Amino acid sequence: MKTPKRIGILTGGGDCPGLNAVIRAVVKTVINDYDIAVVGFLDGFEGLVENKFVNLNLDNASGILTRGGTILGTSNRADPFKYPVLEGGKYEYRDRSDQAVKTFEEHGLEALVCIGGDGTMAVSHKIAQKNIPVVGIPKTIDNDLVGTDVTFGFDSALTTATEAIDKIHTTAQSHHRVMIIEVMGRYAGWLALCSGIAGGGDIILIPEIPYDIDSICEAIKQRKYHGRYFSILVVGEGAKPKGGEIVVKKRVEGSPEPIRLGGIGHKVADDIEDKIQVETRVTILGHLLRGGVPSPADRLLATRFGVVAAEQVAKRKFGKMVALKGNEIVTVPIDQIAGKIRTVPLDSPYLSMARSVGTCLGD
Ligand code: F6P
């Protein structure tokens, strides 16, 4: 079996710390170990459809290990099978996957490394059906990809969220307030739960456990009764009240997943103030969680993922996503990942751990 001579690479979906560390690891490994040339497509699958690219080499893939974002750019609105085209002020959707295949062939590529979340893996799976050999690498701050214990980007976002909670703690104490910190994570509560535990949150609300506002108010009152006049509440953007709805911030037309969440923190704050008249403030961390340098753990994971993905390419083992299982890097078929998300299981040790240290989970 001959090693490929030339491959493509792209980053899709929302960015996160560690993308450049993966690009670096893939590019350096395929060049150093296998003498494979690399074309980087710009702005995710948009680059493949529109033929926007840069040739990657040991020069431009160096010095980027610690840099946040992605040198290739990314997009969460560029599914080649449902490609948004603005016509008369309105988005129309076209299947431009044949154009993506044409670009791939014109560059003489033999494989495509797709770094992304669930949306990118779903597209990668569909593009693989059109005879493009793919290898996937999981990223996202949401940590919601099935098939892997953890995605890179999560640890960095967790660090940022925890540092923010630590800072908010002191002002909460000074003013005897309820301080609400809203974090991203979409429909999965990993970031809220883990940062809430790490930051010593008194109340943690996640999408997987619809909350009861009365339980939250009771927890705040109990803390006051025991002489703790402030409370820290960490809420995932996808959390919702029992029998209620998630808070949708906006719809992004042209995006395969148009719903953007955000604002649940304000709803919880208003309800607390109405019910128990405790002064409450809200901080929405938002895209801050996606920025900054990758944590050492993410640099390490991104490098491990990138090196193994490069080996998969060299051995022509396609249709798989690299993943972390325990402490091993393994590969899982992309068709087992596409279209699914990994939420916090209700029997997660993190949940029982949080309850054991007295955290209210809103139920
Ligand atoms: O998937 C990563 C993520 O940051 C989510 O946590 C969040 O809901 C979403 O992307 C925000 O998307 P956008 O950058 O399009 O606002």
Side-chain angles (χ1 to χ4, degrees), residues 67-314:
R67 207 188 296 170
T70 160
I71 58 164
L72 294 176
T74 187
S75 167
N76 52 14
R77 313 172 43 162
D79 179 350
F81 296 86
K82 209 177 157 219
Y83 199 77
V85 183
L86 201 52
E87 271 184 14
K90 261 188 70 190
Y91 278 106
E92 302 287 335
Y93 297 91
R94 305 271 148 73
D95 182 350
R96 300 206 60 201
S97 55
D98 285 344
Q99 182 56 46
V101 174
K102 195 163 163 246
T103 308
F104 180 84
E105 287 170 350
E106 279 173 1
H107 280 276
L109 305 179
E110 293 171 80
L112 184 66
V113 176
C114 302
I115 309 164
D118 56 329
T120 302
M121 292 308 142
V123 173
S124 305
H125 176 53
K126 282 199 281 177
I127 210 111
Q129 313 303 303
K130 299 192 83 133
N131 286 332
I132 293 189
V134 297
V135 173
I137 305 182
K139 67 89 222 190
T140 166
I141 64 161
D142 303 337
N143 203 27
D144 62 350
L145 248 82
V146 297
T148 184
D149 292 351
V150 68
T151 53
F152 75 83
F154 177 68
D155 185 71
S156 306
L158 174 58
T159 305
T160 302
T162 306
E163 282 171 6
I165 297 168
D166 288 349
K167 289 190 171 147
I168 286 171
H169 231 116
T170 55
T171 171
Q173 249 162 337
S174 311
H175 286 269
H176 316 303
R177 284 172 171 163
V178 172
M179 295 299 262
I180 297 183
I181 300 103
E182 179 181 314
V183 301
M184 283 183 162
R186 284 206 298 172
Y187 305 106
W190 294 108
L191 201 46
L193 181 58
C194 294
S195 65
I197 294 172
D202 307 300
I203 300 152
I204 302 174
L205 308 179
I206 61 172
E208 293 83 349
I209 304 179
Y211 69 82
D212 177 350
I213 191 69
D214 292 325
S215 306
I216 296 171
C217 292
E218 188 53 33
I220 296 165
K221 284 199 295 191
Q222 280 300 317
R223 280 180 54 77
K224 267 191 138 176
Y225 180 75
H226 289 102
R228 294 176 195 109
Y229 297 105
F230 72 96
S231 291
I232 297 289
L233 188 156
V234 181
V235 57
E237 62 180 357
K240 56 174 186 282
K242 275 184 187 157
E245 296 298 323
I246 50 171
V247 177
V248 174
K249 188 168 74 185
K250 62 185 306 202
R251 287 181 67 86
V252 179
E253 293 314 324
S255 171
E257 279 218 41
I259 290 177
R260 293 295 180 276
L261 303 173
I264 183 68
H266 286 294
K267 178 179 168 37
V268 176
D270 290 348
D271 290 348
I272 291 172
E273 287 196 334
D274 280 354
K275 281 194 176 270
I276 54 171
Q277 292 78 48
V278 179
E279 201 174 29
T280 304
R281 295 287 187 270
V282 182
T283 304
I284 299 179
L285 296 182
H287 291 83
L288 188 73
L289 296 164
R290 298 225 306 246
V293 300
S295 66
D298 272 341
R299 294 178 202 182
L300 204 54
L301 183 60
T303 304
R304 290 177 80 191
F305 277 163
V307 169
V308 175
E311 287 164 6
Q312 294 293 304
V313 165

Side-chain angles (χ1 to χ4, degrees), residues 189-190 193 206 208-209 342-352:
W190 294 108
L193 181 58
I206 61 172
E208 293 83 349
I209 304 179
R342 188 176 73 99
T343 52
V344 178
L346 292 180
D347 61 355
S348 165
Y350 283 117
L351 292 174
S352 47

